[in-house]
Amino acid sequence: MTRLRVWKIHLDRPSGPGWWRSLSDTERERARRLGSVRERHRFTVAHAALRAILGEVCGVRAARLAFGAEDGGRPYLALPQGRAAPDFNLSHSEEWALVAVAPPGFRVGVDVERIREDLDCLAMAGSMYQPEEVDRLRAADPAGCRTGYFRLWTAKEAYVKTVGVGLAGLRDVLVHEESTAHGTVLSSSSPPGAALPVRWLDVAPGYAAAVVTAADAS
């Protein structure tokens, strides 16, 4: 694998009988703890699809894939015999999921969110976003403000998932208004602080999504 790829998965599709069997015991237990049949189904489809994609990319049976976690909880793929593993990230919101896979030597973060009508976007932005971002949202019309809020959120979450600092670092991320040849740029006021390009993705009406990649500095 030599380039970033992103897969879009509709989570309300019928799941095959092999999908549940491809999950680990831990994944099946997580699914059982979810509160509704629909949530369990969507979790199963998302994680089985992730395994199917990574299995195809790596040439390993989906059920035999093994995962580890960094200190901050970020998952990684553990391949046998010292093989270099691609980096991956999974995000899901209601009926849609995205799986992003980057080649060895890179890190990737992806996020998808349904654009909610019941959220006070300016109030939330005032407590979570940078002042200049709030000003940009306040200057937009109501529809643009709502869409802009979720576009910023997905970009910020994709950034913190890429660098592995967790959601606690989201408040420090700034989405710069100006664009470069590589697209809109994000940076953080806390370590690692790198400026990284973000690409927004078209998933479905009523959804916002973004993906961020970076060279692996480890």
Side-chain angles (χ1 to χ4, degrees), residues 21-22 51-52 54-56 58-66:
R21 293 196 298 270
S22 74
R51 283 181 168 270
L54 292 176
E56 181 178 353
C58 299
V60 178
R61 285 179 55 194
R64 295 180 64 85
L65 291 171

Side-chain angles (χ1 to χ4, degrees), residues 6-44:
V6 180
W7 286 260
K8 181 173 73 170
I9 301 116
H10 190 225
L11 299 180
D12 289 340
R13 68 171 71 181
S15 60
W19 289 33
W20 179 258
R21 293 196 298 270
S22 74
L23 302 184
S24 67
D25 291 341
T26 300
E27 289 166 328
R28 286 193 286 264
E29 182 56 33
R30 286 176 62 191
R32 291 188 183 101
R33 290 199 299 265
L34 295 173
S36 70
V37 172
R38 172 174 283 186
E39 288 177 311
R40 290 192 292 273
H41 176 83
R42 287 174 170 173
F43 179 94
T44 299

Side-chain angles (χ1 to χ4, degrees), residues 11-214:
L11 299 180
D12 289 340
R13 68 171 71 181
S15 60
W19 289 33
W20 179 258
R21 293 196 298 270
S22 74
L23 302 184
S24 67
D25 291 341
T26 300
E27 289 166 328
R28 286 193 286 264
E29 182 56 33
R30 286 176 62 191
R32 291 188 183 101
R33 290 199 299 265
L34 295 173
S36 70
V37 172
R38 172 174 283 186
E39 288 177 311
R40 290 192 292 273
H41 176 83
R42 287 174 170 173
F43 179 94
T44 299
V45 174
H47 286 262
L50 171 66
R51 283 181 168 270
I53 289 166
L54 292 176
E56 181 178 353
V57 168
C58 299
V60 178
R61 285 179 55 194
R64 295 180 64 85
L65 291 171
F67 299 91
E70 298 174 358
D71 291 342
R74 188 180 190 272
Y76 62 84
L77 182 61
L79 292 181
Q81 301 175 347
R83 289 175 54 192
D87 194 54
F88 73 93
N89 201 229
L90 166 68
S91 178
H92 49 87
S93 179
E94 297 205 359
E95 64 181 299
W96 289 103
L98 295 175
V99 172
V101 182
F106 290 86
R107 292 168 66 94
V108 63
V110 70
D111 189 56
V112 57
E113 301 287 342
R114 185 180 69 83
I115 298 174
R116 293 170 48 188
E117 300 293 331
D118 60 342
L119 193 70
D120 187 337
C121 294
L122 281 178
M124 288 293 294
S127 64
M128 297 290 292
Y129 290 1
Q130 300 286 332
E132 66 184 77
E133 295 170 335
V134 178
D135 289 343
R136 298 204 305 261
L137 293 177
R138 190 174 286 117
D141 60 39
C145 176
R146 187 169 304 281
T147 300
Y149 173 88
F150 283 96
R151 278 169 58 86
L152 288 172
W153 180 274
T154 59
K156 290 167 177 280
E157 187 157 343
Y159 181 98
V160 299
K161 291 169 78 175
T162 300
V163 300
V165 297
L167 288 180
L170 189 143
R171 286 182 173 86
D172 297 322
V173 179
L174 171 64
V175 181
H176 297 274
E177 185 172 13
E178 62 273 8
S179 296
T180 71
H182 301 291
T184 304
V185 171
L186 302 85
S187 63
S188 175
S189 60
S190 63
L196 300 174
V198 59
R199 185 176 70 181
W200 279 283
L201 306 173
D202 183 13
V203 174
Y207 285 80
V211 63
V212 173
T213 55

